[in-house]
Amino acid sequence: MTPRQNRQRDRAGRGIPEATVARLPVYLRALTGLQDRGVATVSSEELAAAAGVNSAKLRKDLSHLGSYGTRGVGYEVEYLVYQISRELGLTQDWVVAIIGVGNLGRALAGYGGFASRGFRVAGLLDADDSIVGEEIAGMTVEHIDRLEDIIAGHGVSIAVIATPAGAAQGVCDRVVAAGVTSVLNFAPAVLSVPDGVDVRKVDLSIELQILAFHEQRKAGGPDGLASLATGEAPPGTKQYVETVVEA
């Protein structure tokens, strides 16, 4: 059994909810900021405010890790950083391959936050011959034909897919067949994977649409359509009028 599978089994054994797991990186980010400022201890209220959750939820989340803080003192920042990092598997390095080196792939390759959080980008791959061979962030872009060799040679644990939508599923099938069981998907496509493979999807357009929804609500909501003159259809739509004849 791999270390990652052991971690999943241990986490399941302790009954840590997935919602809690999803919040742990947020707590870690807040704690790292406190640590950088030399803060030694933090109350649950202060940490909750920094993480954007309520303090009761934070205390319950951290209790799953066996961390309860000290009454009147709070949590020891350095130790809590270690606890959460260990739970997330960040006390060891994880090897990452980025497939698709367009504008987004290049930005990801140059992101300095990976290394500081335990992720080492070991491969950049693309199908475009005009990109293959380029030096990006100190790495040479390899041809997609070498995908399986890169995965095996570097022990890739996580594949980041930043390809066009049409290529994403085929790339995903290949990385899974090569033994990768964790995929971060930036492509605008829904990926089908077998049981035991984890996929996290990042869709910037969806996030923007959600923000647009909130902006519309702040401006008065979809009821703003009611401000259209009677009989006027919204731009780009056709209006259908039903005639009702009374008997």
Side-chain angles (χ1 to χ4, degrees), residues 97-99 101 105 109 121-126 136-137 139-143:
I98 298 175
I99 303 113
V101 194
V121 179
L124 303 176
L125 300 107
D126 203 282
I136 298 175
M139 291 174 287
T140 302
V141 179
E142 305 278 356
H143 196 279

Side-chain angles (χ1 to χ4, degrees), residues 1-84:
M1 183 174 287
T2 67
R4 179 174 177 278
Q5 289 170 326
N6 274 321
R7 237 184 19 265
Q8 288 177 324
R9 182 186 62 184
D10 293 344
R11 191 175 73 200
R14 290 197 300 274
I16 301 179
E18 286 300 320
T20 294
V21 174
R23 286 188 289 270
L24 292 181
V26 181
Y27 301 151
L28 182 59
R29 181 177 59 193
L31 286 162
T32 302
L34 293 170
Q35 193 175 44
D36 290 343
R37 299 202 305 270
V39 177
T41 58
V42 62
S43 69
S44 60
E45 290 78 11
E46 291 169 332
L47 182 54
V53 301
N54 65 63
S55 58
K57 179 177 293 184
L58 178 136
R59 287 192 294 270
K60 183 175 181 180
D61 285 343
L62 296 183
S63 71
H64 290 296
L65 277 62
S67 187
Y68 297 93
T70 303
R71 183 178 295 275
V73 177
Y75 296 92
E76 183 181 345
V77 171
E78 183 177 1
Y79 183 62
L80 196 50
V81 166
Y82 167 74
Q83 277 190 305
I84 295 177

Side-chain angles (χ1 to χ4, degrees), residues 143-232:
H143 196 279
I144 191 68
D145 289 347
R146 296 204 61 231
L147 177 61
E148 289 77 10
D149 293 336
I150 296 295
I151 290 173
H154 291 281
V156 172
S157 302
I158 301 171
V160 177
I161 297 178
T163 65
Q169 185 64 59
V171 167
C172 182
D173 292 342
R174 287 179 62 184
V175 300
V176 169
V180 174
T181 56
S182 291
V183 176
L184 181 60
N185 178 32
F186 283 91
V190 177
L191 301 179
S192 298
V193 296
D195 291 340
V197 176
D198 295 316
V199 176
R200 298 288 297 181
K201 180 171 177 56
V202 180
D203 192 320
L204 301 180
S205 66
I206 287 178
E207 299 305 321
L208 287 171
Q209 289 172 45
I210 292 171
L211 288 174
F213 167 83
H214 290 296
E215 282 299 308
Q216 177 179 247
R217 289 289 178 180
K218 285 183 282 187
D223 289 339
L225 291 178
S227 64
L228 293 172
T230 303
E232 181 183 349

